[in-house]
Amino acid sequence: MPNIRFSALERAASHQAVEFESPQGRVTDYFGENVFNEQAMRMFMSAEAYKAVMSAIEKGTRIERSMADQVASGMKAWATSKGATHYTHWFQPLTGTTAEKHDGFFEPTSGGRAIERFEGNMLVQQEPDASSFPSGGIRNTFEARGYTAWDPTSPAFVIGSTLCIPTVFVSYTGEALDYKTPLLRALNVIDEAATDVCRYFDRNVNKVVATLGWEQEYFLVDAALFQARPDLLMTGRTLLGHAPAKGQQLEDHYFGSIPDRVMSFMRAFEYECHQLGIPVKTRHNEVAPAQYEMAPVYEEVNLAVDHNSLVMDVMERVARRHHFRVLLHEKPYAGVNGSGKHNNWSLATDTGINLLSPGKNPKGNLQFLTFFITTLKALHRHANLLRSVIASASNDHRLGANEAPPAIISAFIGSQLTEVLDELEKIEGGKLSAEQKTELKLNVVGKIPEILLDNTDRNRTSPFAFTGNKFELRAVGSSANCAGAMTVLNSIVAQQLRDFKKEVDHLIESKSLKKDEAIFTVLKDYIKTSKPIRFEGDGYSDEWAKEAEKRGLSNVKTTPRALDFLVEPQVEALFEELGVMNRVELHARHEILLEDYFKKIQIESRLLGDIAGNHIVPTALRYQRLLTENVQGMKDVLPADRFKKLAAVQIAMIEEISERVSVILTEKDAMIEARKKANKLTSSRERAIAYCEEVLPYFEKIRYEVDKLELMVDDELWPLPKYRELMFLR
Ligand code: ADP
Ligand code: MG
């Protein structure tokens, strides 16, 4: 019988010999050519329709029905010129992937022919049969009605022969069933709140947009080897596998040269991204073998989120063509780094100012400090919420393990700004004397240099780091939709900005403070009260865990428990006050996330049991039989005293195999029992906790024995591609 591992290795070797054509031409020639962008809209739509769409994008105005017909007809003309025959509403349900249901443009007519049709109502709204998308109980499965609605702020695009129209996905009763709906609501609120605060400093500001630059980490693995690992195939991660002799100790992969085969994948992939208007800019190796990172130039949050979802799809598709598979899982391999998706976030005004970039003068700096300090205050107030929104079964392998970043939420701001905040804190609040004003202006606010030293980027252990002109949220998982984290971050900062404005106005009106005095007084209070969230040291250290506990910061390492934070009263109040999510929507999400958690662990657990029982144990026993036969043979030919001496090692091996096999089988049965018990629990929360605390611990025990066997058993018998084969691409 052929060994599946060896035939997979052979196929992988043949993949390495395949040559791929590189895309031709300059990026500027094809950038955005598959996007219905402003240029395409101008070309394919009437001036009137173009104006209506632009106004919807910029001011959120509604598009009239007759206008929608015009837009649809222009969009169809453009899409068919790109070879599109179908259209789909493209949306982001809470399953974590993107969804689409393709409809043809053509409609049969009575004469047995067909006409092409795409009208305003098809653009604006669609009713996918969406009963199988998770709704957390909002929409009973037998009542499948939910609909998708066009989001004009994210441009339509063509992939292959399909026109994709970005949409939101909501139930008929109006509740959000996707990631995008609450995100758009949060982005509206932060626009309003930030614009109001900006007006203390500059009356010309009319709009503030949140910006996001994500950095996507991922692993590549050869497609044939991937197919030969049921665990990778079904769960996206290896559940077994001994660490290779060489892992990432030498740190030679990071910034090393990219293998040709990988390079040609990256070129093809970037080409498609550029055609789709995704401004992918950097690519490099990451720390672990076969780990890579790509990042685009930052964009407005909604667009950046769509682009990240799209990138994850495009990556998969292009990788398959190149006989690779992409692993977006946060921890595909034990023993080497996992993958994250850093979310670089800031706020920008329509006057072109980055609000998290220090200003050119004291006034600009006070504005910068206002947004900077308000963000810290918001983080302190809602650290637990931020922790809960990044929680997932796969991200648990990063957060809370000894790896970037810890499960404790804190902010790193660097020594320069720490000094500034410390100085500010020392000055008395309230009415300021002339002297104090000078002190404030010259020595504190005036002291912030325009360009902050990049020492801020050096602390890699912080989950939320200020990096000179933006905050970088590093705790988001590589497989996550950025929308979750972005909805929370923008909501909490919006709430804090609203409160800030109220407090400042109150001081001006009732305490007759000058505007600057009032602003400063509130900021001073924020600096003081949010101090516990600031941490400049090593986030991985035990000392920090102890210190954080003293400060009252939570350190919750597992998803089911972290999700408790999502439905605390202050979170309900936050989302309700801002109109981002009502109680029903929030609790539905909680339910969906809990279900997602236990289902994932359930699948992993079943698979681990199967692989251990069907692949590993039989292989170990086969090898054991070889050893036994060998020992029998030795007994036949050797004199008794020689036999006793020479067979001892092999007999010990036979015993060790028996022992390990017996542990594997016993633990596997116990794990199944634990699953049965967990499955009886009716509350999702309790079931998730049971899977986490009663089922998951068996994984390590079983894996330990299997990985030991991997080292003992004849390499030729071992059925699964080994770590060294999976991770070292040529
Ligand atoms: P690096 O951290 O690699 O030195 P940068 O600091 O320039 O590089 O950017 C890292 C990421 O942060 C990029 O994706 C970039 O687009 C993004 N970024 C830069 N400025 C902003 C901003 N104002 N808002 C959001 N993201 C930003
Ligand atoms: Mg960075």
Side-chain angles (χ1 to χ4, degrees), residues 291-448:
Q291 191 186 25
Y292 302 93
E293 178 186 301
M294 51 103 43
V297 178
Y298 69 91
E299 299 173 290
E300 178 276 314
V301 171
N302 180 39
L303 190 58
V305 167
D306 280 359
H307 278 169
N308 181 248
S309 296
L310 195 49
V311 151
M312 293 196 282
D313 283 355
V314 173
M315 220 177 213
E316 289 272 355
R317 269 189 305 106
V318 178
R320 280 170 196 248
R321 280 207 315 264
H322 287 247
H323 307 297
F324 280 128
R325 295 300 292 266
V326 175
L327 305 178
L328 290 170
H329 193 287
E330 282 74 1
K331 191 77 180 176
Y333 304 110
V336 298
N337 277 17
S339 302
K341 174 146 53 199
H342 297 176
N343 278 204
N344 295 275
W345 171 88
S346 189
L347 295 168
T349 66
D350 58 349
T351 53
I353 301 293
N354 175 353
L355 292 168
L356 289 175
S357 193
K360 291 192 167 41
N361 48 42
K363 190 169 134 201
N365 278 340
L366 192 57
Q367 173 172 282
F368 158 69
L369 285 174
T370 297
F371 284 90
F372 176 71
I373 294 165
T374 308
T375 304
L376 293 175
K377 173 76 178 168
L379 186 75
H380 178 248
R381 190 166 166 190
H382 288 294
N384 287 344
L385 169 58
L386 197 63
R387 169 66 188 92
S388 72
V389 79
I390 51 177
S392 68
S394 48
N395 212 14
D396 277 1
H397 297 283
R398 291 173 69 232
L399 313 173
N402 275 330
E403 164 163 359
I408 310 163
I409 298 289
S410 67
F412 174 87
I413 63 170
S415 55
Q416 281 176 305
L417 285 167
T418 301
E419 235 174 74
V420 170
L421 298 200
D422 288 348
E423 293 284 328
L424 274 176
E425 206 186 333
K426 277 190 222 140
I427 303 176
E428 286 283 322
K431 278 207 189 310
L432 295 174
S433 66
E435 251 169 52
Q436 286 172 316
K437 273 186 195 159
T438 315
E439 163 74 9
L440 185 64
K441 220 173 207 161
L442 293 183
N443 294 340
V444 187
V445 179
K447 240 175 46 181
I448 305 173

Side-chain angles (χ1 to χ4, degrees), residues 579-701:
V580 168
M581 273 190 268
N582 61 29
R583 269 198 58 150
V584 176
E585 292 171 309
L586 185 64
H587 284 262
R589 251 148 245 255
H590 184 229
E591 182 71 18
I592 289 169
L593 292 168
L594 287 168
E595 271 182 33
D596 178 76
Y597 180 85
F598 73 70
K599 284 182 183 158
K600 290 217 163 106
I601 305 296
Q602 184 178 46
I603 292 169
E604 288 187 348
S605 165
R606 285 179 182 157
L607 207 68
L608 178 61
D610 289 354
I611 301 178
N614 304 339
H615 290 63
I616 306 303
V617 167
T619 305
L621 294 182
R622 241 160 90 199
Y623 182 55
Q624 191 188 41
R625 201 171 61 237
L626 286 179
L627 287 174
T628 319
E629 282 165 10
N630 191 50
V631 170
Q632 278 296 346
M634 285 167 81
K635 196 171 187 182
D636 292 344
V637 299
L638 292 175
D641 58 330
R642 296 296 291 156
F643 171 77
K644 199 171 167 203
K645 183 158 186 268
L646 295 174
V649 184
Q650 292 183 39
I651 292 171
M653 279 171 81
I654 292 169
E655 282 184 34
E656 185 179 337
I657 292 175
S658 286
E659 271 160 22
R660 296 205 186 279
V661 162
S662 124
V663 175
I664 291 173
L665 294 176
T666 325
E667 297 294 343
K668 178 175 97 104
D669 288 344
M671 179 169 74
I672 293 172
E673 282 311 307
R675 274 207 318 261
K676 280 189 190 152
K677 260 201 197 150
N679 292 343
K680 290 212 180 81
L681 300 167
T682 46
S683 125
S684 297
R685 179 178 177 273
E686 275 169 21
R687 202 189 286 189
I689 289 174
Y691 266 96
C692 178
E693 292 167 13
E694 309 299 331
V695 178
L696 198 55
Y698 286 105
F699 287 26
E700 269 314 302
K701 295 184 201 167

Side-chain angles (χ1 to χ4, degrees), residues 211-215 295-298 344-346 354 457 469-470:
T211 52
L212 165 65
W214 43 264
E215 302 166 52
V297 178
Y298 69 91
N344 295 275
W345 171 88
S346 189
N354 175 353
D457 203 25
N469 55 5
K470 61 191 179 288

